[in-house]
Amino acid sequence: MIETKRLILRPFLESDAEDVLEYLKKPAVNCFVSMKLDSLEKAKEEMKKRAVETEYYFAIVLKETGKVIGEIDAYPERGKPHDTTAPLDAFSPCWMLNRAYQGKGYAYEAACAFFDYLFREKGARRVYAYTEDYNLSSQKLCEKLGMRKEGMFLEFISFVNNPDGTPHYENTIQYAILKKEWQGGVNKCKTK
């Protein structure tokens, strides 16, 4: 569990199903379409799966009410992908917030605490994120976290189809920050 001024980041519980369904009924961006849920029963099944992940996948919970307003996760990768002895020291986080709670600084607060957790406790050397070129709020969040814009991949990936059934390829921007940058004060995060 990770605690901030207004939030708790904790593993998912089966009882989170209703709150998660609220924001996964209609995902805000295309990259989350595959996570879409259309019933409380499916949300409950999903929570059972998520409940076993306690190290890298967290519900973003309002301290004041206990309501789940989003999620954040990242899994370790090797900096040298084909070398199984290389450390698992690169992470690509993903965050999603219920639309009703966006624009209040919750995503920044959660990401600050989560990045700090990855760098301090999980041995992260590098944290990198992908965002769609139209997702300006996610780009602003990356920049506020002190991440560098590393480049744009044109027509990088498709999550949805065009009306004619062909893949809709999206332009994707990559941001990153190194542990030495995070510790060197590039970020302005205060997690408590």
Side-chain angles (χ1 to χ4, degrees), residues 2-9 63 108-117 120 145 182 187-192:
I2 303 167
E3 197 172 326
T4 71
K5 184 178 178 182
R6 302 179 294 168
L7 304 171
I8 294 171
L9 308 184
K63 261 188 193 179
Y108 177 69
E109 191 172 325
C112 282
F114 189 64
F115 279 31
D116 204 56
Y117 168 78
R120 290 183 192 270
L145 289 164
W182 183 263
N187 80 84
K188 304 293 183 229
C189 294
K190 290 182 178 85
T191 56
K192 287 245 180 176

Side-chain angles (χ1 to χ4, degrees), residues 133 152-157 169-172:
D133 63 349
M152 181 180 308
F153 303 95
L154 298 178
E155 296 186 17
F156 183 60
I157 195 162
Y169 289 100
E170 298 186 358
N171 298 333
T172 303

Side-chain angles (χ1 to χ4, degrees), residues 86-104:
L88 294 164
D89 62 359
F91 291 82
S92 181
C94 176
W95 49 75
M96 182 183 343
L97 216 58
N98 182 322
R99 288 179 198 219
Y101 296 89
Q102 292 177 5
K104 296 172 174 49

Side-chain angles (χ1 to χ4, degrees), residues 75 125 156:
Y75 294 91
R125 172 189 54 83
F156 183 60

Side-chain angles (χ1 to χ4, degrees), residues 17-184:
E18 199 170 313
D19 289 346
V20 173
L21 178 62
E22 215 176 280
Y23 63 85
L24 280 179
K25 263 185 163 176
K26 189 174 180 186
V29 290
N30 291 339
C31 64
F32 300 125
V33 167
S34 66
M35 297 170 68
K36 184 177 180 178
L37 297 170
D38 56 16
S39 71
L40 187 55
E41 293 73 34
K42 287 186 180 178
K44 286 177 181 178
E45 288 173 30
E46 180 62 26
M47 292 309 97
K48 285 179 186 174
K49 293 176 193 171
R50 291 184 185 191
V52 299
E53 174 51 72
T54 61
E55 194 172 8
Y56 298 110
Y57 201 168
F58 296 112
I60 301 171
V61 183
L62 286 177
K63 261 188 193 179
E64 192 175 295
T65 63
K67 182 173 182 62
V68 174
I69 62 167
E71 56 193 74
I72 192 163
D73 70 276
Y75 294 91
E77 305 167 5
R78 296 187 195 287
K80 294 171 75 178
H82 303 293
D83 180 353
T84 57
T85 63
L88 294 164
D89 62 359
F91 291 82
S92 181
C94 176
W95 49 75
M96 182 183 343
L97 216 58
N98 182 322
R99 288 179 198 219
Y101 296 89
Q102 292 177 5
K104 296 172 174 49
Y106 293 129
Y108 177 69
E109 191 172 325
C112 282
F114 189 64
F115 279 31
D116 204 56
Y117 168 78
L118 294 176
F119 284 123
R120 290 183 192 270
E121 297 188 31
K122 294 301 173 187
R125 172 189 54 83
R126 173 182 166 82
V127 174
Y128 68 97
Y130 293 112
T131 183
E132 300 81 0
D133 63 349
Y134 61 85
N135 191 346
L136 300 179
S137 60
S138 192
Q139 291 171 45
K140 287 177 185 172
L141 176 57
C142 288
E143 291 165 7
K144 191 172 179 180
L145 289 164
M147 301 178 89
R148 279 173 282 97
K149 183 177 180 179
E150 293 192 320
M152 181 180 308
F153 303 95
L154 298 178
E155 296 186 17
F156 183 60
I157 195 162
S158 173
F159 299 105
V160 296
N161 287 334
N162 293 312
D164 67 0
T166 59
H168 174 76
Y169 289 100
E170 298 186 358
N171 298 333
T172 303
I173 300 171
Q174 181 172 311
Y175 287 87
I177 188 166
L178 300 172
K179 181 176 185 173
K180 61 187 172 188
E181 293 169 321
W182 183 263
Q183 292 176 329

